[in-house]
Amino acid sequence: MSTGVSTSTDKIIVDKSRSHRNKAVSRAVRATRDRLQIATGVSPGFEREMMQLHVASVAQSALAIPVVVMLIAAGGVYLTQEIGLVAWAVLALTMHAIGMIVAHRARGREITAENVRRWQRGFLVAQVFMGLAWVAFSLQTCGTCTGVTFDFYKGSALLVALAVTAMSTLMLRHAILCAFLPTVVVLIVLAGLAPAPGTVGMAAIIAAAMLFLVFMTHRLRYTSAQLLSSQSEKDDLIAELEVAKSMSDEARRRAEEANLAKSRFLASMSHELRTPLNAILGFSEVMSTEVLGPLNNPIYKEYTSDIHRSGQHLLNLINEILDLSRIEAGKYDLAEDSVHLVDIAEDCIGMVQLRARAKNITISEQVESGMPAVWADEKALRQVILNLLSNAVKFTPQGGEVVVKAGWTAGGGQYVSIKDNGPGIPEEEIPVVLSAFGQGSIAIKSAEQGTGLGLPIVQAILAKHNGEFILKSKLREGTEAIAILPAKRVLESLPAVSETHAVAPRRKSFA
């Protein structure tokens, strides 16, 4: 049965077992980017969406043009008694029906980026047919009308038709020009042939209105394209987030697998590593101390000391890695008890005193007396202070000084501060020093090599105690490491209970 854990050996972050999801998301991102990277005009993707919006608009406003045509024809017949307007209405409705047939076919078929131009041409041809109907209306005459009454009627009707066409064909480029440019040309020709004030005024007003509406629809279409672009950018962002989530889920899964593999390795190899190391340490110590007899060659004795020192270094490294692994895995349990922080600090000073004297380093103490006990793990606190003291002695030059302070914090907790006058740490390297296996550049050059796990272990142990670790350093002036325990771990001493005399029981009387 599948456990859901990938066994692929590829080194990429995205798991190939989930290629169906990653490929779909990547395809969506690629298509959106291609659509957004069109430098000029409206991209084919936006043209398709605008065409779909136009088809929907035509379907919703299917009755707008017929209503306008019927009202114009009815008003014309009422004003002029010209029956020819009825024939024109039939012609206009027929031309409008051609456009509705094109819209109906577009709704029944899928509009793609490849055929969107063909559909645009089909709708523009339908607008040209409708424009012929408006040309026929502009050529209508009235034999019984006097003055400019009929010209005013035709101009008003054409303005209404122009406005309705502009609203219904907003998403179709050049629709107004195809529908009313022939009408404007005919009006201009009529005004030139018979320059009557009414005809000239009507031609000028219709031409100006058409140009204005062309400009306005162009701006509105551009705004719609911007809205579609914003929507596409939002879709692109969502797709990118889906990819990032997929990658982060896969990275987390791989990290969990790696952490599980590390834990299994440490659990299975800790005994196998420590057992031969203990044998190496024991036999090398026996040989270097010449317990079973002298070594005739002094170089062999030096070799045994090197073997013992290297084995001890490797054992310390293994122990620190195991400690850090247990802390990270949440398996580091605290054996808490009532302990005195000052006493632990003094014991640790005694343990590193020999190394400090070898380098002629002075360790001075500045501790407050009468401090109460704290509720903490004595072994863990001893490891914290020993790590900090060992670092201070290791990085302090010959003849230097290490100052150990212990006292109260402003919040009522207790702290231990260890300050040296070593080479210091550059400010930008402090995060590196606090990371696992991290070491400062100047410290590496001026002192013996270490594992780089001491300070991370100190941080982790203090965090388990709800404490805090602060590292202050100035280049070429020294470093101060401060381990802080919170006030809630300080045990308050209660006053002794005074002895009181027992109260004699009252004798009961019965009546």
Side-chain angles (χ1 to χ4, degrees):
M1 184 177 67
S2 174
T3 59
V5 179
S6 174
T7 58
S8 59
T9 58
D10 56 292
K11 300 303 180 183
I12 59 174
I13 291 181
V14 180
D15 188 5
K16 290 184 177 180
S17 64
R18 301 182 181 179
S19 58
H20 60 282
R21 184 180 70 176
N22 297 326
K23 285 183 179 179
V25 176
S26 300
R27 194 182 307 114
V29 173
R30 194 180 306 111
T32 307
R33 285 178 175 172
D34 293 340
R35 183 174 59 183
L36 293 176
Q37 288 173 354
I38 301 298
T40 58
V42 182
S43 69
F46 292 161
E47 291 283 5
R48 183 180 65 85
E49 293 176 1
M50 286 186 172
M51 180 55 60
Q52 291 175 344
L53 292 175
H54 173 69
V55 172
S57 176
V58 169
Q60 293 174 358
S61 61
L63 296 178
I65 295 296
V67 169
V68 171
V69 170
M70 296 299 294
L71 290 176
I72 291 174
V77 171
Y78 175 77
L79 292 174
T80 64
Q81 305 300 319
E82 293 287 341
I83 305 301
L85 289 174
V86 177
W88 168 82
V90 173
L91 174 65
L93 292 177
T94 304
M95 297 302 177
H96 177 68
I98 295 175
M100 294 305 301
I101 292 173
V102 176
H104 179 72
R105 293 182 60 188
R107 292 185 66 185
R109 300 182 183 181
E110 182 182 2
I111 299 178
T112 62
E114 290 75 17
N115 61 12
V116 65
R117 296 294 183 185
R118 181 168 59 85
W119 286 110
Q120 285 179 344
R121 288 192 296 269
F123 279 105
L124 290 178
V125 170
Q127 290 299 321
V128 170
F129 286 137
M130 193 65 199
L132 296 177
W134 296 119
V135 169
F137 176 76
S138 65
L139 293 175
Q140 295 291 321
T141 59
C142 178
T144 60
C145 298
T146 59
V148 295
T149 304
F150 189 68
D151 292 335
F152 178 77
Y153 157 72
K154 287 200 300 183
S156 301
L158 288 174
L159 284 177
V160 172
L162 184 60
V164 172
T165 303
M167 289 187 295
S168 61
T169 61
L170 178 62
M171 293 300 171
L172 183 63
R173 187 186 304 176
H174 308 312
I176 297 179
L177 289 176
C178 292
F180 282 91
L181 184 59
T183 303
V184 172
V185 172
V186 170
L187 291 176
I188 292 175
V189 171
L190 292 177
L193 295 176
T199 305
V200 173
M202 180 178 60
I205 292 175
I206 297 300
M210 185 190 70
L211 293 176
F212 174 75
L213 288 176
V214 166
F215 172 75
M216 290 303 298
T217 53
H218 173 73
R219 297 302 303 172
L220 291 174
R221 192 180 303 109
Y222 177 77
T223 303
S224 301
Q226 293 297 317
L227 292 176
L228 291 174
S229 176
S230 300
Q231 180 68 28
S232 297
E233 291 176 359
K234 184 186 74 172
D235 295 341
D236 187 20
L237 178 60
I238 292 174
E240 292 280 4
L241 291 176
E242 286 289 338
V243 173
K245 183 177 181 299
S246 174
M247 295 174 66
S248 101
D249 291 343
E250 188 59 29
R252 185 180 69 250
R253 186 191 62 79
R254 287 177 175 269
E256 291 173 354
E257 287 183 357
N259 188 47
L260 180 61
K262 181 192 71 173
S263 301
R264 289 174 177 172
F265 170 78
L266 293 175
S268 61
M269 295 300 292
S270 60
H271 178 72
E272 284 76 3
L273 290 173
R274 283 175 170 173
T275 300
L277 274 177
N278 288 328
I280 292 172
L281 290 175
F283 289 132
S284 60
E285 187 174 1
V286 169
M287 294 172 65
S288 62
T289 55
E290 300 179 344
V291 174
L292 301 179
L295 294 176
N296 296 327
N297 194 331
I299 299 179
Y300 288 167
K301 185 176 182 180
E302 183 180 353
Y303 286 169
T304 57
S305 299
D306 293 340
I307 293 172
H308 186 273
R309 188 162 51 251
S310 300
Q312 189 65 45
H313 176 76
L314 183 57
L315 183 60
N316 292 335
L317 176 60
I318 293 173
N319 289 333
E320 289 182 345
I321 292 176
L322 291 175
D323 289 341
L324 190 60
S325 300
R326 285 201 304 271
I327 294 173
E328 290 178 349
K331 303 298 183 181
Y332 192 91
D333 298 326
L334 298 178
E336 297 171 309
D337 199 357
S338 174
V339 295
H340 288 272
L341 193 61
V342 175
D343 295 343
I344 297 176
E346 290 177 351
D347 292 344
C348 294
I349 291 173
M351 296 173 67
V352 300
Q353 195 68 254
L354 188 60
R355 292 175 54 193
R357 289 174 183 172
K359 296 179 64 175
N360 197 22
I361 296 175
T362 303
I363 301 180
S364 58
E365 302 178 34
Q366 298 178 11
V367 299
E368 296 186 19
S369 58
M371 294 179 61
V374 294
W375 188 254
D377 188 336
E378 180 178 0
K379 179 182 176 182
L381 289 185
R382 193 179 302 275
Q383 185 176 3
V384 166
I385 299 176
L386 270 179
N387 284 350
L388 297 179
L389 276 173
S390 299
N391 284 342
V393 173
K394 181 169 60 176
F395 294 113
T396 302
Q398 294 280 345
E401 182 182 8
V402 176
V403 179
V404 180
K405 298 180 182 179
W408 293 96
T409 64
Q414 295 185 13
Y415 76 93
V416 173
S417 168
I418 300 172
K419 184 176 181 181
D420 62 65
N421 56 357
I425 305 171
E427 185 177 356
E428 64 274 7
E429 291 185 1
I430 289 181
V432 177
V433 171
L434 294 177
S435 62
F437 301 100
Q439 292 178 329
S441 57
I442 296 179
I444 291 176
K445 297 176 182 178
S446 61
E448 58 183 286
Q449 293 290 332
T451 61
L453 293 175
L455 294 183
I457 291 176
V458 168
Q459 269 189 311
I461 291 177
L462 289 175
K464 293 285 288 185
H465 286 84
N466 309 111
E468 185 181 1
F469 177 65
I470 300 175
L471 186 64
K472 302 178 181 179
S473 184
K474 289 186 178 180
L475 199 60
R476 297 180 183 86
E477 292 186 13
T479 303
E480 182 179 10
I482 306 173
I484 301 174
L485 292 178
K488 63 181 181 180
R489 289 196 169 270
V490 178
L491 301 178
E492 297 181 1
S493 56
L494 300 176
V497 180
S498 57
E499 294 184 358
T500 57
H501 299 285
V503 179
R506 296 178 57 185
R507 298 183 63 184
K508 295 181 180 180
S509 60
F510 298 93

